[in-house]
Amino acid sequence: MLQHPFVDRQFPIITDGKLVKKEFGTGAVKVTPSHDPNDYECGQRNKLQFINILNEDGTLNDNAGEFKGMLRFEARVAVIKKLEEAGLYKGKEKNAMVLKVCSRSGDIIEPFMSPQWYVDLNDLAKKSVDAVANGDLVILPESKVSVWNEFLNNIRPWCISRQLWWGHRIPAYIAWKKGESKPDTSDTNNWFVAESDEEAREIAASRLGTSEFEIEQDPDVLDTWFSSGLFPFSVFGWPEKTLDLEKYYPTHMLETGHDILFFWVARMVMMGLQLTGKLPFNEVLLHSLVRDKNGKKMSKTSGNVIDPIDVIEGITLEELHETIRKGNLRKDKQEEAIKTQKKDFPKGISECGTDALRFALCAYTAQGKDINLDVARVEGYRAFCNKIWQATKLGFMFLGASFVPAVDNKTKPEGLYDQWILAKLAKTIKDVTESWTTYDFSSATSAIHSFFLYSFCDIYLEAVKATMFSPEGQNEEQKAMHRETVYTVLEESFRLLHPFMPYLSEELWQRLPRRPSSVPAQKTISYTNYPLPSTSEHWENASAVEDVEFLNSLNAKLRSACATYGIIKKKTATVTTVVTDQARHKLITSQLSTIVALSFLKELIVLETEVIPSEAATEIVDATCTLYIHLQGIDAKKELVKLDKSKANLTKQIEALTKKQQDERFIEKAPENVKIQIAENLAQFTLELAGVQRAIDTLSSMQ
């Protein structure tokens, strides 16, 4: 035992392999079990005394001897001085250490022990783990089940008391006879629990055997998560057996962030099992956290919070700076935050609207992964909103003021592109429905975005535009068919899109005419039925999809080839195509005007036998179809300079990606999705390089 130099107290020398590293410093360290979490564990292991030397105001208490009443930092100076006077001071060395600092005041936090209320959770934690294991409670994504089990299988007693001004006050009371001293508040035997002050007084009178007593309620309040854990049933009137509680509890699904899986979800489950005997819900869907574009968690103290209102309504850079200055950041942190804003938002944030932000967040969401929010992507979906508006405007031009839709959507059009777009719509509805059932919102938004933008806008509307704008009296049957298709696609798309873009879809749906019906039309899109596979399966058409997908690949090849050879002006290119398959030949011939329009050609010559034009570049679509791009009038020398630059750039990118693929650190540490993306990019660049090389060879032979 060693004698303390300043107080009449001895303390032992112990060995502890968990706390002390013998190679660090002298290999010896003081242990203060009441003022450090690690020291507390050491004290528990070695049965040390737990001596608190601090008062709540930061001064030293009676256990500090002659330093009693001093502020903590003043006491440190005084202790060193006393050690020097006694000849016990050996010097000091600088060592890096971790100090907990209050984010608001900047003060160093001093842990110390004080009496608190705890809840033993071992039994409840086991029941909660079993509920998931038995399938009674489903946690999505499944990857979070291991987190759930890790928390609950290593549960510790839960400290539920907080020294705050707000919250549910702990219903614990202490009482003593008048004239006697107040009992020891650290002894739990002196406390009792009651539901009200009246009940507390009755219990106190019974325990003390007198009506003359003093009584106090613990000033502490319950931990926020304790109070929040009661939410699923307290909101329905619990502990009273109300009709609402009987009808609506338990609920079906809880949707919340994965960061509070233990803090809130587990507490609700345990509370529900303990106080109602039922799980509060049978499914938990954990959504992603929104971080800044660099992956850093948004927080006021970091100054990187993106206010959704600023994204919706827009904000200037100076206004962004002002939000930092008016916040609670320390001055030294404000400049750092403002510097970050200048880098991330040099022109402020442009107005994106509610629907674009909502759609972007859903599109970002991949179960279990956080969202690194880049406002530029939200701006991209604002452009998508604008595309929907413009496409609908064009659709209304096609429909005309007098259009009346069919009674239902059962009509099957004869036009190939009409059959194709409705088949694609049916597939989209099926994909979105499957995504809803698995809560895969990212796939749902991707399916809607791809269908409306790339299938409906880029292909179908362009394919029928020439017919719809033909003079009155021409192609009237085709126009009527296209109008019905356009109406059906728009009406179904608005309903499909509504959960993701409620405002835009409602606005545009209201402008559509209603189908004739004996039943009064719904006043809002919100009351209509959501599109389901069962109501759209009659549009499925594998043959039409196969034919148009071939035509799409043909059009893409035509546009790409013309661009490669510098024929960028619309309606100037002439192409000969040799099609050896009779069915394909018939298909291309029947859709010749549409192909020419979608590929921006001057002329497409279709042949069945191999006839190679002079001064033509060859592009192969597939085994049955070959393209010959006429190059008469092309400045070969000028185009070769461009192609050589493209070749050099593609070669450089291929070399960089190949080097990355072969890097051992990349192979070992890169996520699988990144590896797949790199491989896809490499394949695409290699394909483009082959096309550029063919163009170089062709043009070189013309010189």
Side-chain angles (χ1 to χ4, degrees), residues 354-419:
T354 304
D355 284 346
L357 177 59
R358 185 185 181 104
F359 196 87
L361 291 174
C362 290
Y364 260 118
T365 304
Q367 286 189 3
K369 296 180 180 179
D370 288 345
I371 296 171
N372 295 347
L373 182 63
D374 188 349
V375 175
R377 186 168 176 182
V378 184
E379 292 172 348
Y381 287 118
R382 179 190 61 190
F384 177 50
C385 291
N386 185 60
K387 187 72 172 181
I388 294 171
W389 185 275
Q390 296 299 332
T392 304
K393 185 178 178 180
L394 179 62
F396 286 154
M397 291 175 64
F398 289 172
L399 297 180
S402 60
F403 173 76
V404 177
V407 174
D408 56 38
N409 63 5
K410 301 299 182 182
T411 304
K412 292 185 178 180
E414 295 182 2
L416 177 62
Y417 276 87
D418 296 87
Q419 294 175 359

Side-chain angles (χ1 to χ4, degrees), residues 8-135:
D8 187 16
R9 186 163 62 239
Q10 292 184 327
F11 49 90
I13 297 175
I14 62 170
T15 57
D16 192 289
K18 291 185 177 181
L19 184 67
V20 182
K21 295 179 180 178
K22 62 181 181 180
E23 66 276 6
F24 181 78
T26 62
V29 65
K30 55 85 181 172
V31 182
T32 54
S34 292
H35 297 286
D36 182 89
N38 293 323
D39 289 3
Y40 174 85
E41 298 289 344
C42 177
Q44 292 278 54
R45 290 192 298 270
N46 296 281
K47 297 181 173 57
L48 301 179
Q49 280 186 290
F50 289 79
I51 302 170
N52 173 32
I53 65 166
L54 288 173
N55 295 313
E56 291 185 0
D57 62 0
T59 58
L60 274 60
N61 62 23
D62 292 340
N63 291 325
E66 62 184 283
F67 306 103
K68 175 186 175 182
M70 287 187 179
L71 289 169
R72 50 182 174 158
F73 296 123
E74 293 175 355
R76 287 175 182 171
V77 175
V79 166
I80 292 175
K81 185 176 180 181
K82 283 288 184 181
L83 287 172
E84 289 174 336
E85 291 174 356
L88 299 174
Y89 187 70
K90 300 298 182 183
K92 61 182 179 181
E93 294 180 3
K94 289 186 177 181
N95 287 300
M97 62 184 299
V98 177
L99 283 178
K100 292 186 177 181
V101 178
C102 178
S103 61
R104 292 184 181 273
S105 67
D107 289 322
I108 295 174
I109 297 171
E110 299 284 358
F112 74 95
M113 292 181 61
S114 62
Q116 305 288 339
W117 293 100
Y118 286 83
V119 176
D120 187 343
L121 297 176
N122 286 327
D123 290 341
L124 287 175
K126 184 179 184 307
K127 290 179 181 178
S128 301
V129 170
D130 291 343
V132 173
N134 298 335

Side-chain angles (χ1 to χ4, degrees), residues 404-409 487 491 509 513-523 528-529:
V404 177
V407 174
D408 56 38
N409 63 5
Y487 175 85
E491 202 275 338
W509 183 85
R514 302 288 176 263
R515 293 188 185 277
S517 175
S518 57
V519 179
Q522 299 289 6
K523 294 181 179 180
T528 61
N529 294 324

Side-chain angles (χ1 to χ4, degrees), residues 340-566:
T340 300
Q341 286 181 338
K342 288 180 179 178
K343 179 182 177 183
D344 292 345
F345 312 109
K347 297 181 180 179
I349 300 174
S350 59
E351 180 181 357
C352 294
T354 304
D355 284 346
L357 177 59
R358 185 185 181 104
F359 196 87
L361 291 174
C362 290
Y364 260 118
T365 304
Q367 286 189 3
K369 296 180 180 179
D370 288 345
I371 296 171
N372 295 347
L373 182 63
D374 188 349
V375 175
R377 186 168 176 182
V378 184
E379 292 172 348
Y381 287 118
R382 179 190 61 190
F384 177 50
C385 291
N386 185 60
K387 187 72 172 181
I388 294 171
W389 185 275
Q390 296 299 332
T392 304
K393 185 178 178 180
L394 179 62
F396 286 154
M397 291 175 64
F398 289 172
L399 297 180
S402 60
F403 173 76
V404 177
V407 174
D408 56 38
N409 63 5
K410 301 299 182 182
T411 304
K412 292 185 178 180
E414 295 182 2
L416 177 62
Y417 276 87
D418 296 87
Q419 294 175 359
W420 170 76
I421 195 62
L422 291 176
K424 294 289 284 185
L425 177 58
K427 177 66 165 58
T428 302
I429 291 172
K430 184 177 180 180
D431 291 344
V432 172
T433 301
E434 290 177 356
S435 298
W436 279 122
T437 58
T438 57
Y439 308 115
D440 186 358
F441 307 127
S442 177
S443 294
T445 54
S446 177
I448 296 171
H449 181 268
S450 178
F451 166 76
F452 199 92
L453 189 60
Y454 303 123
S455 297
F456 183 60
C457 294
D458 289 357
I459 298 176
Y460 178 77
L461 290 180
E462 294 299 323
V464 304
K465 188 182 290 184
T467 301
M468 296 308 297
F469 286 142
S470 62
E472 188 175 350
Q474 295 182 16
N475 307 311
E476 290 304 321
E477 288 187 8
Q478 287 180 293
K479 288 179 182 178
M481 175 182 64
H482 294 333
R483 288 189 187 104
E484 197 62 48
T485 300
V486 167
Y487 175 85
T488 298
V489 171
L490 288 176
E491 202 275 338
E492 294 275 341
S493 295
F494 295 156
R495 288 189 284 124
L496 199 63
L497 190 63
H498 186 64
F500 303 105
M501 291 186 175
Y503 297 103
L504 180 62
S505 57
E506 179 75 64
E507 175 68 26
L508 295 177
W509 183 85
Q510 290 290 350
R511 301 183 183 206
L512 281 174
R514 302 288 176 263
R515 293 188 185 277
S517 175
S518 57
V519 179
Q522 299 289 6
K523 294 181 179 180
T524 169
I525 193 174
S526 301
Y527 293 165
T528 61
N529 294 324
Y530 197 72
L532 294 173
S534 59
T535 61
S536 57
E537 58 189 3
H538 58 283
W539 292 326
E540 294 176 2
N541 191 324
S543 175
V545 170
E546 181 181 357
D547 285 346
V548 176
E549 295 301 333
F550 167 75
L551 294 176
N552 290 342
S553 65
L554 174 63
N555 290 327
K557 201 76 172 180
L558 285 166
R559 290 193 297 268
S560 175
C562 289
T564 300
Y565 289 97

